[in-house]
Amino acid sequence: MEQIVKKFLHQNWWLFISMLLLSAAGIAFIRSAQLYSDIPLLHDAWINQTRWFCIGLVVYLILIQIDYSLYIKLAIPIYVVGVLMLTLTFVPGFGLDVNHSKSWVKIPGIPPFQPVEITKISTIIMLAAFLGRTRLEVRHIKYFILAGIILGVPMLLILKQPDLGSALVFVPIFLSIAFVAGIRKSFLILLLACGMAGSVAVYNDMVPGVKLKKYQKERLISFLEPEKYRKTSGYMLIQMRVAIGTGGIWGKGYTQSTQTRAEYIPKAVAHSDAIFAVIGEEVGFLGCTVILLVFAGILMSGTRIALLARDTYGRLLCAGIIAMLFAHLYENVGMTLGVMPITGIPLPFISNGGSFMVISMAAVAILQSVWIHRRNYS
């Protein structure tokens, strides 16, 4: 018990408090976004999110007690479980088709969840274990190729669902871990070139077994000319911009978002993908700035933890998790502002989503484990 208390007290408190603040803000704005909804499931979404937050907090408190070296030792089975969960999305009776994508799994006795969130963490652990172990030999091309295979297996399964937005999150994760591991920059440039070519191939239906639907292609390019697609995928982008713009400096006040009350921002996404637009309208530029500063604090704390980690494995775990959180933050906020494609990427700790809330808190717990176990607690 003494060791448990000691580890809890020696966690990075800024990281912990920031996570709690963002989670509380998320619950509050989810309530606001669906306050006037006449659909019980949406109206009570904030209650559901609170339950998931409590589950995530329990998971967090357990994981910070575990030395991250255990994750490294169990990297292969953890990775295999992540990939197997992805394959369940294609198995009749387990996979659920939601919004034209087979990205959800229903297991008896467990609420439906998105295995891609679990796979992000399992892939980070596997890449950290693999590239951390090779050390100086990591600059050899064969290790780069093997690391690419570790990345490619879950990415292809996710693309097949199809869930392009989630698949793209794996790219900065891989690049960050590979860069910190010391892989040659020329290899990373080659990967970027291949990634761009692959994106063009996927968009043009040139990859066997991966075929994007028309509406998905429109979502990828509509941010460039939203007016051209104002009756389809550009509509929500235009309404989110209006919400952000009309919020001004101070905002209209909590629960006073006219864009959501009038349903210009669709009910189905106001509390999830479009939550930052609700925040911008209600608390304005200053409120959004505070939210982003708290996120910046989390990313800076994660970077500091990486620099002070006791070994390469810890640094690589931190690099992957920081990249994952940053990719979600950048894409979601960028999507709201109209500078990134609409890909349905949630905002960590704030967007509605049970499995994503738990995984985000688990990711922070791994950062805390690296921080806490930089000292010897054996």
Side-chain angles (χ1 to χ4, degrees), residues 74-339:
L74 298 175
I76 293 177
I78 290 173
Y79 176 75
V80 170
V81 168
V83 172
L84 287 177
M85 284 197 172
L86 278 181
T87 60
L88 280 180
T89 61
F90 306 105
V91 178
F94 290 99
L96 296 178
D97 195 323
V98 179
N99 295 327
H100 311 288
S101 176
K102 295 182 181 296
S103 56
W104 290 76
V105 166
K106 177 68 173 78
I107 297 175
I110 300 176
F113 65 95
Q114 289 182 288
V116 65
E117 307 302 346
I118 298 172
T119 309
K120 288 172 188 173
I121 298 295
S122 66
T123 303
I124 289 172
I125 292 172
M126 186 64 201
L127 285 171
F130 176 70
L131 293 177
R133 185 177 294 114
T134 53
R135 291 186 175 86
L136 297 178
E137 298 174 345
V138 77
R139 295 175 65 82
H140 196 286
I141 184 118
K142 70 178 180 181
Y143 292 106
F144 174 72
I145 293 173
L146 289 172
I149 293 172
I150 293 171
L151 172 76
V153 172
M155 274 193 72
L156 288 174
L157 288 171
I158 295 165
L159 284 171
K160 190 171 177 59
Q161 290 179 348
D163 185 356
L164 182 60
S166 293
L168 291 176
V169 173
F170 282 75
V171 177
I173 287 174
F174 180 82
L175 291 176
S176 298
I177 294 176
F179 179 78
V180 174
I183 282 181
R184 294 179 185 273
K185 295 182 178 64
S186 57
F187 294 167
L188 298 180
I189 293 172
L190 175 62
L191 177 66
L192 283 173
C194 291
M196 293 175 65
S199 299
V200 172
V202 169
Y203 184 84
N204 290 286
D205 302 328
M206 297 168 64
V207 178
V210 178
K211 184 176 177 62
L212 298 181
K213 295 177 173 61
K214 182 181 178 181
Y215 81 92
Q216 290 176 312
K217 293 181 179 181
E218 283 190 3
R219 286 173 67 177
L220 290 174
I221 61 174
S222 60
F223 79 103
L224 299 172
E225 297 178 281
E227 293 294 336
K228 182 178 177 181
Y229 301 94
R230 64 177 304 114
K231 293 185 177 180
T232 54
S233 56
Y235 172 80
M236 191 171 78
L237 172 56
I238 293 171
Q239 299 305 325
M240 288 193 297
R241 280 180 172 179
V242 170
I244 291 284
T246 56
I249 298 294
W250 303 102
K252 297 176 180 177
Y254 180 62
T255 74
Q256 300 303 309
S257 171
T258 55
Q259 289 296 102
T260 54
R261 289 177 67 176
E263 296 187 37
Y264 292 118
I265 295 178
K267 287 181 182 179
V269 297
H271 62 316
S272 54
D273 297 347
I275 192 71
F276 195 74
V278 176
I279 295 172
E281 187 175 8
E282 295 190 354
V283 297
F285 175 79
L286 289 179
C288 288
T289 300
V290 171
I291 293 287
L292 293 177
L293 285 175
V294 177
F295 269 117
I298 286 180
L299 298 176
M300 290 173 65
S301 294
T303 302
R304 181 167 180 257
I305 291 171
L307 292 173
L308 297 176
R310 74 181 185 216
D311 56 23
T312 303
Y313 295 124
R315 283 190 288 276
L316 297 183
L317 282 173
C318 290
I321 290 169
I322 293 166
M324 181 187 79
L325 294 175
F326 176 78
H328 275 266
L329 172 66
Y330 183 80
E331 169 56 29
N332 185 275
V333 174
M335 170 185 75
T336 304
L337 298 177
V339 297

